[in-house]
Amino acid sequence: RWLPPPTVPSCCVLGLLAVTFLQQEKPSRVHILILSSWRSGSSFTGQLFSQHPNVFYLMEPAWHVWTTMHQNTAHSLHMAVRDLVRSVFHCDMSVFDAYMSRGRKKSDLFQWETSRALCSPPACDAFQHSDIITKSHCKTVCSKYPFSTVEQACRLYSHVVLKEVRFFDLKVLYPLLSDPSLNFRIIHLVRDPRAVFLSREKAAPELVRDSDIVVGPKNNQGEMGPYNVMQEICKSHIQIYTEGSQALPSSLKGRYMLVRYEDIVKDPLEKAAELYKFAELGFLQKLQRWVYNITHGKGLGAEAFDTSSRNAVSVSQAWRKSLPFHKIQKLQQVCKDAMELLGYRLLASQEEQKNMTLDLLLSQHPPTRQKPELRTEKSPTALAS
């Protein structure tokens, strides 16, 4: 692989790599990374892609990296996480050899049942590629298949979509953006930090180990622990958004998209259509009905990684009714810059918090970049290799 001399400035390196990328024929498979943080609606956004019949989806495969190497810091694990993501994009599942036992099954893969592709042939014979499949149904009947079916399934699809919460710096992903063997795009999903904070409180036991990796065990203790973690998350959103929207070379800017979770739940059909267009996927009628039904239920969702039918707007605003204002004030102090940049109105009083007619999304939506030119969509079996 060609690399420029070490004396070339980093900005020029990326530019040269971008030119090299443009000179290569684009690979036929599309690779999408949903880049977000914990409790930000990323599981739901991931399902928008997982349920599409042309998508092979995995939820947080780097969970295995962090679980195995939990004594390291988030930034020191960036390279290992990136290498795993690259291998999975290429449907090379041998990368898990370093993190899972030799005799592993498909069911040993973190949250495997959230992947429709792993609940249909060849990973499971109980459902069809075109079925909308819930994880509870899948887990009941598809758990005993061998791990080798993960790679077999991946190679059938025109799109590989991964959801990850373990990147804190977009620069780490530059090698993937400039890799001519990848047709790589990034969907950067953000959510109001106040909603994230409340959701994290409810799921605190599941997040302890990850939070220790983010800020260190000492900084994850006591009253300030949750705020220290949120500060790092907010800082990462600033860095990723700034790099994605302003620092990328013009040839790469069409491959970054910022999405606010609140905008998705306000108009799920419109936003889902935008996401599919960005990914070069068609919005099938069956999926349109599913998106509407899953966002217009009555529940609020009670468990981590829950993507059952619920009232999505109520979920997104639940923090305004239950999060104490003194916590809001403290959180706004550590996340002020990110909130202003991403378009979240700061609250000045408890009265504003409880005034549900006050829209906390700024009218000017965060800018998104030009979309890639659409190509002809292929069926899941068309790219079998």
Side-chain angles (χ1 to χ4, degrees), residues 48-55 116 128-132 157-159 268-270 272-277 280-293 377-380:
L48 292 179
F49 287 96
S50 180
Q51 296 296 345
H52 196 288
N54 277 22
V55 169
R116 179 207 49 77
Q128 298 301 314
H129 285 283
S130 58
D131 291 342
I132 301 291
Y157 292 88
S158 63
H159 290 65
L269 290 174
E270 178 183 347
E274 290 181 14
L275 290 168
Y276 284 144
K277 184 178 180 181
E280 302 183 23
L281 287 165
F283 198 1
L284 309 176
Q285 285 190 352
K286 177 186 287 189
L287 285 172
Q288 293 180 32
R289 292 193 295 269
W290 174 78
V291 169
Y292 180 86
N293 291 335
E377 185 175 324
K378 300 180 181 180
S379 66

Side-chain angles (χ1 to χ4, degrees), residues 10 33-34 74 105 118 182 243 323 352 366 376:
S10 58
L33 179 66
I34 301 171
K105 297 180 180 178
L118 295 184
L182 295 176
E243 287 288 320
L323 190 62
E352 287 187 353
T376 303

Side-chain angles (χ1 to χ4, degrees), residues 21-282:
F21 176 86
L22 290 175
Q23 292 173 344
Q24 302 284 336
E25 183 180 351
K26 284 188 177 181
S28 55
R29 187 173 280 119
V30 178
H31 309 89
I32 304 289
L33 179 66
I34 301 171
L35 186 57
S36 190
S37 62
W38 298 266
R39 317 307 299 161
S40 295
S42 60
S43 295
F44 165 73
T45 306
Q47 282 304 299
L48 292 179
F49 287 96
S50 180
Q51 296 296 345
H52 196 288
N54 277 22
V55 169
F56 176 86
Y57 170 78
L58 286 185
M59 173 177 167
E60 299 181 26
W63 178 90
H64 295 278
V65 177
W66 276 34
T67 301
T68 304
M69 307 173 72
H70 59 87
Q71 293 182 336
N72 293 270
T73 66
H75 289 277
S76 68
L77 293 175
H78 266 154
M79 303 304 179
V81 172
R82 185 189 65 202
D83 290 345
L84 181 139
V85 166
R86 186 202 300 269
S87 294
V88 174
F89 275 146
H90 284 299
C91 299
D92 178 8
M93 303 305 168
S94 65
V95 69
F96 288 102
D97 290 349
Y99 310 108
M100 302 172 72
S101 65
R102 184 181 296 271
R104 60 186 177 271
K105 297 180 180 178
K106 179 184 69 175
S107 57
D108 293 322
L109 193 63
F110 179 67
Q111 291 291 317
W112 66 274
E113 67 273 17
T114 64
S115 172
R116 179 207 49 77
L118 295 184
C119 304
S120 55
C124 180
D125 297 323
F127 304 97
Q128 298 301 314
H129 285 283
S130 58
D131 291 342
I132 301 291
I133 307 172
T134 64
K135 68 176 187 178
S136 59
H137 290 159
C138 176
K139 195 170 186 177
T140 301
V141 297
C142 296
S143 63
K144 296 183 180 180
Y145 286 73
F147 190 83
S148 59
T149 60
V150 178
E151 185 165 319
Q152 294 170 19
C154 181
R155 295 187 182 278
L156 287 178
Y157 292 88
S158 63
H159 290 65
V160 177
V161 179
L162 307 180
K163 188 264 280 193
E164 265 308 334
V165 295
R166 293 173 173 86
F167 286 110
F168 292 78
D169 187 341
L170 194 66
K171 292 188 182 74
V172 177
L173 295 170
Y174 278 177
L176 303 190
L177 282 166
S178 55
D179 186 341
S181 69
L182 295 176
N183 189 355
F184 179 50
R185 298 102 187 274
I186 296 170
I187 294 173
H188 180 198
L189 176 71
V190 298
R191 186 182 185 185
D192 190 320
R194 295 162 296 199
V196 174
F197 186 88
L198 178 63
S199 186
R200 288 181 62 87
E201 282 193 332
K202 294 180 178 180
E206 292 95 339
L207 298 172
V208 171
R209 181 168 56 195
D210 289 331
S211 297
D212 284 349
I213 295 174
V214 173
V215 297
K218 290 183 179 180
N219 291 327
N220 189 34
Q221 296 178 359
E223 181 183 354
M224 285 305 297
Y227 300 98
N228 292 334
V229 176
M230 285 302 302
Q231 185 173 38
E232 287 302 309
I233 290 172
C234 288
K235 284 168 58 179
S236 74
H237 283 317
I238 293 174
Q239 194 282 335
I240 292 168
Y241 174 65
T242 302
E243 287 288 320
S245 62
Q246 300 175 21
L248 289 181
S250 58
S251 58
L252 299 179
K253 285 183 178 177
R255 293 193 279 134
Y256 169 87
M257 181 183 189
L258 176 70
V259 182
R260 296 186 298 189
Y261 174 70
E262 291 78 11
D263 290 324
I264 295 178
V265 301
K266 265 190 171 182
D267 196 337
L269 290 174
E270 178 183 347
K271 282 299 174 181
E274 290 181 14
L275 290 168
Y276 284 144
K277 184 178 180 181
F278 177 77
E280 302 183 23
L281 287 165

Side-chain angles (χ1 to χ4, degrees), residues 332-351:
Q332 289 181 164
Q333 289 176 359
V334 300
C335 287
K336 180 176 183 292
D337 292 342
M339 294 175 68
E340 290 179 345
L341 181 66
L342 299 172
Y344 294 108
R345 185 193 301 272
L346 298 173
L347 290 170
S349 66
Q350 189 171 5
E351 288 70 30

